[in-house]
Amino acid sequence: MPATLTSLRIRNLALVEELTWTLTPGFTAITGETGSGKSIIVGALQLILGERADKTLIRTGAESCTVEAVFQFGEARALNAELQEFGVEPCEGGELILKRVFSATGTNRQFINGSPTTLAVLKELGDGLVDLHGPHDHQSLLSDAKQLGLLDSFADAGTLREKYEAHFRQLNELVAEHTELSTSEAALEREVDLLRHQTQEIEAAQLRPEEEEELLARYSVAANSRRLLELGTQVVGRLAEADDAVISRLNEIGKLLRDLERLDPAAARFGESQVRAVTELEDLAQSLQDYAQDMDLDPERLTQMEERVSLFETLKRKYGGSIADVITFGEQAAERLRKIESRGTELTRLAGEIETTRKALLDAGKKLSVRRGTAAPKLATSVTTHLRDLGFKKSDFRVAVTTLEKPGPHGLESIAFLFAPNPGEPPKPLKAIASSGEISRVMLAVKSSLAAQDTIPLLVFDEIDANVGGEIAHAVGAKMKSLAAAHQVLCISHLPQVAAQAGAQFVVTKEFTKDRTVSQLERVEGKARIEEIARMLGGKSDSALAHAQTLLGAA
């Protein structure tokens, strides 16, 4: 088995306050009274698999709900490669840990192996881990797309189908491009005129991606040059040219400090500081004079920069939010113009590619059709055999293959599952079958037929055995037990015949303590399991207990 769900931990979900569930491989049954909270197990799995969270599920009085699942992989190299693509931590010791937390405020957080991730990633990973069938999930079997997918799984046609679908997408893209180039002459001429104007306007600007930033910096200085000159001149004046200039005052201070030094030689350090200050201020004044002399006051140069800045803004309004975007737009327009101007050559090229791709599509489609045609009767025979085991002794199940008038997105044919539960009736599409019990058993038969090809490790059946009983119920249990040879199977059931077939059985109970209702999950073995099977049979009388023991012994 590729992976096993080894534990499921739930906190503050509906009636569950705290639950840690340890699981084993094989077939596990979950039973309990109606309304005890068995569906919470399925709800927890749905959450951990990325389904939409409903904050009403949070236990009353709690601020958040947490669900955590641990899967154990025998070989995790392929999984770790997938996790690396998702940007999350790899498995340690083959252990995959999924965690989901959502709060009453609607905040969602999800983690894979401790790494934060998105709900989409969690769902994509979960789709490959768990196949969950609820009371109404058998309805998915009515979908044509689902039926085609099941046939392709049985036929091991996944690679052929992917190849066909890739050719189909490529063909559609080529046809769309050819159609676009084949529009009316007048429309093309108008587009050519527009493209020429756009490309000429952008080419004439001779743009560089980094030019805008450089120009704006120079323009800012040039536009404020008069004020900058005025400020620089004022500073120079106050430093060195005014009657009370700072440097002159500092020189007077220097004389006083020299007098101080003559009286106290230890005060020489003050004079040294004064000399350094005068030198630095003189350097500052000279630098400011040089700065003012270099100031560009050329009105013509300023006008040129203003025009260039205005041109940038105009181009950005027309073609993109930045000069880099404008350049990209110009390149794309030039390429489009080239194709239109040489559309004769381009149309010839596209026509050739369309013909080549169409041939490849038909070739891939024929190979896929052969695979499907070979597999369809084999799937029908296999499903019919399993249906016999499930009580449909004389039913008729067929996989009808119908050739399409033109290639479709998934192949050259459509398929339909046809079923006649009773002899003497013509097989009809599953959509025409009203009984959910019948469709549920067809679903189980199909899953049994696909067991060898199905790579999803965990199969969960939530009361899909509804509306059956007696020997048929026993057969349903046996079929799930058979599936557990290649998968881990969890089944929520009300049927003792099904539960008795399981390798392990857990009972969900509901208790009222401390003014609160709490659901609990407990494994039953030995005498406790006999009593639970007897309860499911209708009571704990001696005859019910004996019948329960017989069911468990037969399993």
Coordinates of all heavy atoms in Angstrom, one line a residue, residues 266-319:
A266 N 48.8 74.5 27.5 CA 47.9 73.3 27.4 C 46.7 73.6 26.6 O 46.0 72.6 26.2 CB 47.6 72.9 28.8
A267 N 46.3 74.8 26.4 CA 45.1 75.2 25.6 C 45.3 75.2 24.1 O 44.5 75.6 23.4 CB 44.6 76.5 26.1
A268 N 46.5 74.6 23.7 CA 46.8 74.6 22.3 C 45.8 73.8 21.4 O 45.5 74.1 20.3 CB 48.2 74.1 22.0
R269 N 45.2 72.8 22.1 CA 44.3 72.0 21.3 C 43.1 72.7 20.9 O 42.5 72.4 19.8 CB 43.8 70.8 22.2 CG 43.0 71.1 23.4 CD 42.7 69.9 24.3 NE 41.8 70.1 25.4 CZ 42.2 70.6 26.5 NH1 43.5 71.0 26.7 NH2 41.4 70.8 27.5
F270 N 42.7 73.8 21.6 CA 41.5 74.6 21.1 C 41.9 75.3 19.8 O 41.0 75.5 18.9 CB 41.1 75.6 22.2 CG 40.8 74.9 23.5 CD1 41.3 75.3 24.7 CD2 39.9 73.8 23.6 CE1 41.0 74.7 25.9 CE2 39.6 73.2 24.8 CZ 40.2 73.7 25.9
G271 N 43.1 75.8 19.7 CA 43.5 76.5 18.5 C 43.5 75.6 17.3 O 43.2 76.0 16.2
E272 N 44.0 74.4 17.6 CA 44.0 73.4 16.5 C 42.6 73.1 16.0 O 42.4 72.9 14.8 CB 44.7 72.1 17.0 CG 46.1 72.3 17.4 CD 46.7 71.1 18.1 OE1 45.9 70.1 18.4 OE2 47.9 71.1 18.4
S273 N 41.6 73.0 16.9 CA 40.2 72.7 16.4 C 39.7 73.9 15.6 O 39.0 73.7 14.6 CB 39.3 72.5 17.7 OG 39.7 71.3 18.4
Q274 N 40.1 75.1 16.0 CA 39.6 76.3 15.3 C 40.2 76.3 13.9 O 39.5 76.6 12.9 CB 40.0 77.6 16.1 CG 39.6 78.8 15.4 CD 40.7 79.4 14.5 OE1 41.9 79.0 14.6 NE2 40.3 80.4 13.6
V275 N 41.5 75.9 13.7 CA 42.1 75.9 12.4 C 41.4 74.9 11.5 O 41.1 75.1 10.3 CB 43.6 75.6 12.5 CG1 44.2 75.3 11.1 CG2 44.3 76.7 13.2
R276 N 41.1 73.7 12.1 CA 40.4 72.7 11.3 C 39.0 73.1 10.8 O 38.6 72.9 9.7 CB 40.3 71.4 12.1 CG 41.6 70.6 12.2 CD 41.3 69.2 12.7 NE 40.7 69.1 14.0 CZ 41.3 69.1 15.1 NH1 42.7 69.1 15.2 NH2 40.7 69.0 16.3
A277 N 38.3 73.8 11.7 CA 37.0 74.3 11.4 C 37.0 75.3 10.3 O 36.2 75.3 9.3 CB 36.3 74.9 12.7
V278 N 38.0 76.3 10.3 CA 38.2 77.3 9.3 C 38.5 76.6 8.0 O 37.9 77.0 6.9 CB 39.3 78.3 9.7 CG1 39.6 79.2 8.5 CG2 38.8 79.1 10.9
T279 N 39.4 75.6 8.0 CA 39.8 74.9 6.8 C 38.5 74.2 6.1 O 38.3 74.3 4.9 CB 40.9 73.9 7.1 OG1 42.0 74.5 7.6 CG2 41.3 73.2 5.8
E280 N 37.8 73.5 6.9 CA 36.6 72.8 6.4 C 35.6 73.8 5.9 O 34.9 73.5 4.8 CB 36.0 71.9 7.5 CG 36.8 70.7 7.9 CD 36.1 69.8 8.9 OE1 35.0 70.1 9.2 OE2 36.8 68.9 9.4
L281 N 35.3 74.9 6.5 CA 34.4 75.9 6.0 C 34.8 76.6 4.8 O 34.0 76.9 3.9 CB 34.1 76.9 7.1 CG 33.2 76.4 8.3 CD1 33.1 77.5 9.4 CD2 31.8 76.0 7.8
E282 N 36.2 76.8 4.7 CA 36.7 77.4 3.4 C 36.5 76.4 2.3 O 36.2 76.8 1.1 CB 38.2 77.7 3.6 CG 38.4 78.9 4.5 CD 39.9 79.2 4.8 OE1 40.7 78.2 4.5 OE2 40.2 80.3 5.2
D283 N 36.7 75.1 2.6 CA 36.5 74.0 1.5 C 35.0 74.0 1.1 O 34.7 73.9 -0.1 CB 36.9 72.7 2.0 CG 38.4 72.5 2.2 OD1 39.2 73.4 1.6 OD2 38.9 71.6 2.9
L284 N 34.1 74.1 2.1 CA 32.7 74.1 1.8 C 32.3 75.3 0.9 O 31.6 75.2 -0.1 CB 31.9 74.2 3.1 CG 30.4 74.3 3.0 CD1 29.8 73.2 2.2 CD2 29.7 74.4 4.4
A285 N 32.9 76.5 1.3 CA 32.5 77.7 0.5 C 33.0 77.5 -1.0 O 32.3 77.9 -1.9 CB 33.2 78.9 1.1
Q286 N 34.3 77.0 -1.1 CA 34.8 76.8 -2.5 C 34.0 75.8 -3.3 O 33.7 75.9 -4.5 CB 36.3 76.3 -2.4 CG 37.0 76.2 -3.8 CD 37.0 77.5 -4.5 OE1 37.4 78.5 -3.9 NE2 36.5 77.5 -5.8
S287 N 33.5 74.7 -2.6 CA 32.7 73.7 -3.3 C 31.4 74.2 -3.7 O 30.9 73.9 -4.8 CB 32.5 72.5 -2.3 OG 33.7 71.8 -2.0
L288 N 30.8 75.1 -2.9 CA 29.5 75.7 -3.2 C 29.7 76.7 -4.4 O 28.8 76.8 -5.3 CB 28.9 76.4 -2.0 CG 28.3 75.5 -1.0 CD1 28.0 76.3 0.3 CD2 27.0 74.9 -1.6
Q289 N 30.8 77.4 -4.5 CA 31.1 78.3 -5.6 C 31.2 77.5 -6.9 O 30.7 77.8 -7.9 CB 32.4 79.1 -5.3 CG 32.2 80.2 -4.3 CD 33.5 81.0 -4.1 OE1 34.6 80.4 -4.3 NE2 33.4 82.2 -3.6
D290 N 31.9 76.3 -6.8 CA 32.1 75.5 -8.0 C 30.7 74.9 -8.4 O 30.4 74.8 -9.6 CB 33.0 74.3 -7.7 CG 34.5 74.8 -7.4 OD1 34.8 75.9 -7.8 OD2 35.2 74.0 -6.8
Y291 N 29.9 74.5 -7.4 CA 28.6 74.0 -7.7 C 27.7 75.0 -8.4 O 27.0 74.7 -9.4 CB 27.9 73.6 -6.4 CG 26.5 73.1 -6.4 CD1 26.1 71.9 -6.9 CD2 25.5 74.0 -6.0 CE1 24.8 71.5 -7.0 CE2 24.1 73.7 -6.1 CZ 23.8 72.4 -6.5 OH 22.5 72.0 -6.6
A292 N 27.8 76.3 -7.9 CA 27.0 77.3 -8.5 C 27.4 77.6 -10.0 O 26.6 77.9 -10.9 CB 27.0 78.6 -7.7
Q293 N 28.8 77.6 -10.2 CA 29.3 77.9 -11.5 C 28.9 76.8 -12.5 O 28.7 77.1 -13.7 CB 30.8 78.0 -11.5 CG 31.3 79.3 -10.8 CD 32.8 79.3 -10.6 OE1 33.5 78.4 -11.0 NE2 33.3 80.4 -10.1
D294 N 28.8 75.5 -12.0 CA 28.4 74.4 -12.9 C 26.9 74.3 -13.1 O 26.4 73.5 -14.0 CB 28.9 73.1 -12.3 CG 30.4 73.0 -12.3 OD1 31.0 73.8 -13.1 OD2 30.9 72.2 -11.5
M295 N 26.1 75.1 -12.4 CA 24.7 75.0 -12.6 C 24.2 75.4 -14.0 O 24.6 76.4 -14.6 CB 24.0 76.0 -11.6 CG 22.5 75.8 -11.4 SD 22.1 74.2 -10.8 CE 22.9 74.3 -9.1
D296 N 23.4 74.4 -14.5 CA 22.9 74.6 -15.9 C 21.7 75.5 -15.9 O 20.6 75.1 -15.5 CB 22.6 73.2 -16.5 CG 22.3 73.3 -18.0 OD1 22.3 74.4 -18.6 OD2 22.0 72.2 -18.6
L297 N 21.9 76.7 -16.5 CA 20.7 77.6 -16.5 C 20.2 77.8 -18.0 O 19.6 78.8 -18.3 CB 21.1 79.0 -15.9 CG 21.5 79.0 -14.4 CD1 21.9 80.4 -14.0 CD2 20.3 78.5 -13.6
D298 N 20.6 76.8 -18.8 CA 20.3 76.9 -20.2 C 18.8 76.6 -20.4 O 18.3 75.5 -20.2 CB 21.1 75.9 -21.0 CG 20.8 76.0 -22.5 OD1 20.0 76.8 -22.9 OD2 21.4 75.2 -23.3
P299 N 18.0 77.6 -20.7 CA 16.5 77.5 -20.9 C 16.2 76.4 -22.0 O 15.2 75.7 -21.9 CB 16.0 78.9 -21.3 CG 17.1 79.8 -20.9 CD 18.4 79.0 -21.0
E300 N 17.0 76.5 -23.1 CA 16.7 75.5 -24.2 C 16.9 74.1 -23.7 O 16.1 73.2 -24.1 CB 17.7 75.8 -25.3 CG 17.4 75.0 -26.6 CD 18.3 75.4 -27.7 OE1 19.0 76.4 -27.6 OE2 18.3 74.6 -28.7
R301 N 17.9 73.8 -22.9 CA 18.2 72.5 -22.4 C 17.0 72.0 -21.5 O 16.5 70.9 -21.5 CB 19.5 72.4 -21.6 CG 19.8 71.1 -20.9 CD 19.9 70.0 -21.9 NE 20.3 68.7 -21.3 CZ 20.0 67.6 -21.8 NH1 19.5 67.5 -23.0 NH2 20.4 66.5 -21.1
L302 N 16.5 73.0 -20.6 CA 15.4 72.7 -19.7 C 14.2 72.3 -20.6 O 13.4 71.4 -20.2 CB 15.2 73.8 -18.8 CG 14.0 73.7 -17.8 CD1 14.2 72.5 -16.9 CD2 13.8 75.0 -17.0
T303 N 13.9 73.1 -21.6 CA 12.8 72.8 -22.5 C 12.8 71.5 -23.1 O 11.8 70.8 -23.2 CB 12.7 73.9 -23.6 OG1 12.6 75.2 -23.0 CG2 11.5 73.7 -24.5
Q304 N 14.0 71.1 -23.5 CA 14.2 69.7 -24.1 C 13.8 68.6 -23.2 O 13.2 67.7 -23.5 CB 15.6 69.6 -24.6 CG 16.0 70.4 -25.8 CD 17.5 70.3 -26.2 OE1 18.3 69.8 -25.5 NE2 17.8 71.0 -27.3
M305 N 14.3 68.8 -21.9 CA 14.0 67.8 -20.9 C 12.5 67.8 -20.6 O 11.9 66.7 -20.4 CB 14.8 68.1 -19.6 CG 16.3 67.7 -19.7 SD 17.2 67.7 -18.2 CE 17.4 69.4 -18.0
E306 N 11.9 68.9 -20.5 CA 10.4 69.0 -20.3 C 9.7 68.2 -21.4 O 8.7 67.5 -21.1 CB 10.0 70.4 -20.2 CG 10.4 71.2 -18.9 CD 10.0 72.6 -18.9 OE1 9.7 73.1 -20.0 OE2 10.0 73.2 -17.9
E307 N 10.1 68.4 -22.6 CA 9.4 67.8 -23.7 C 9.6 66.2 -23.7 O 8.7 65.5 -24.0 CB 10.0 68.3 -25.1 CG 9.6 69.7 -25.3 CD 10.3 70.3 -26.6 OE1 11.2 69.6 -27.1 OE2 9.9 71.4 -27.0
R308 N 10.8 65.8 -23.2 CA 11.1 64.4 -23.1 C 10.3 63.8 -22.0 O 9.7 62.7 -22.2 CB 12.6 64.2 -22.8 CG 13.1 62.7 -22.9 CD 13.1 62.2 -24.3 NE 13.7 60.9 -24.4 CZ 13.7 60.1 -25.4 NH1 13.0 60.5 -26.5 NH2 14.3 59.0 -25.4
V309 N 10.2 64.5 -20.9 CA 9.3 64.0 -19.8 C 7.9 63.9 -20.2 O 7.2 62.9 -19.9 CB 9.5 64.9 -18.5 CG1 8.4 64.5 -17.5 CG2 10.9 64.8 -17.9
S310 N 7.4 64.9 -20.9 CA 6.0 64.9 -21.4 C 5.8 63.7 -22.4 O 4.7 63.1 -22.4 CB 5.7 66.2 -22.1 OG 4.4 66.2 -22.7
L311 N 6.8 63.5 -23.3 CA 6.7 62.3 -24.2 C 6.5 61.0 -23.5 O 5.7 60.2 -23.8 CB 7.9 62.3 -25.1 CG 8.0 61.1 -26.1 CD1 6.9 61.1 -27.1 CD2 9.4 61.1 -26.8
F312 N 7.3 60.8 -22.4 CA 7.3 59.6 -21.6 C 5.9 59.4 -21.1 O 5.3 58.3 -21.1 CB 8.3 59.6 -20.5 CG 9.7 59.4 -20.9 CD1 10.7 59.5 -20.0 CD2 10.0 59.1 -22.2 CE1 12.0 59.2 -20.3 CE2 11.3 58.9 -22.6 CZ 12.3 59.0 -21.7
E313 N 5.3 60.5 -20.5 CA 4.0 60.4 -19.9 C 2.9 60.0 -21.0 O 2.0 59.2 -20.7 CB 3.6 61.7 -19.2 CG 4.5 62.0 -18.0 CD 4.4 60.9 -17.0 OE1 3.3 60.4 -16.7 OE2 5.5 60.5 -16.5
T314 N 3.0 60.6 -22.2 CA 2.1 60.3 -23.2 C 2.2 58.9 -23.7 O 1.2 58.2 -23.8 CB 2.4 61.2 -24.5 OG1 2.3 62.6 -24.1 CG2 1.4 60.9 -25.6
L315 N 3.4 58.4 -23.8 CA 3.6 57.0 -24.2 C 3.1 56.0 -23.2 O 2.5 55.0 -23.5 CB 5.1 56.7 -24.5 CG 5.6 57.4 -25.8 CD1 7.1 57.2 -25.9 CD2 4.9 57.0 -27.0
K316 N 3.3 56.3 -21.9 CA 2.8 55.4 -20.9 C 1.3 55.4 -20.8 O 0.7 54.4 -20.5 CB 3.4 55.9 -19.5 CG 4.9 55.6 -19.4 CD 5.4 55.7 -18.0 CE 5.3 57.1 -17.5 NZ 5.8 57.3 -16.1
R317 N 0.7 56.6 -21.0 CA -0.8 56.6 -21.0 C -1.3 55.7 -22.1 O -2.4 55.0 -22.0 CB -1.3 58.0 -21.2 CG -1.3 58.8 -20.0 CD -2.2 60.1 -20.1 NE -1.9 60.9 -21.3 CZ -1.0 61.8 -21.2 NH1 -0.3 62.1 -20.1 NH2 -0.7 62.6 -22.3
K318 N -0.6 55.6 -23.3 CA -1.1 54.9 -24.4 C -0.8 53.4 -24.4 O -1.6 52.5 -24.7 CB -0.5 55.4 -25.7 CG -1.0 56.8 -26.1 CD -0.4 57.2 -27.5 CE -0.9 58.5 -28.0 NZ -0.3 58.9 -29.3
Y319 N 0.4 53.1 -23.9 CA 0.9 51.7 -24.1 C 1.4 51.0 -22.8 O 1.7 49.8 -23.0 CB 2.1 51.8 -25.1 CG 1.8 52.5 -26.4 CD1 2.5 53.7 -26.7 CD2 0.8 52.1 -27.2 CE1 2.3 54.3 -27.9 CE2 0.5 52.8 -28.4 CZ 1.2 53.9 -28.7 OH 0.9 54.6 -29.9

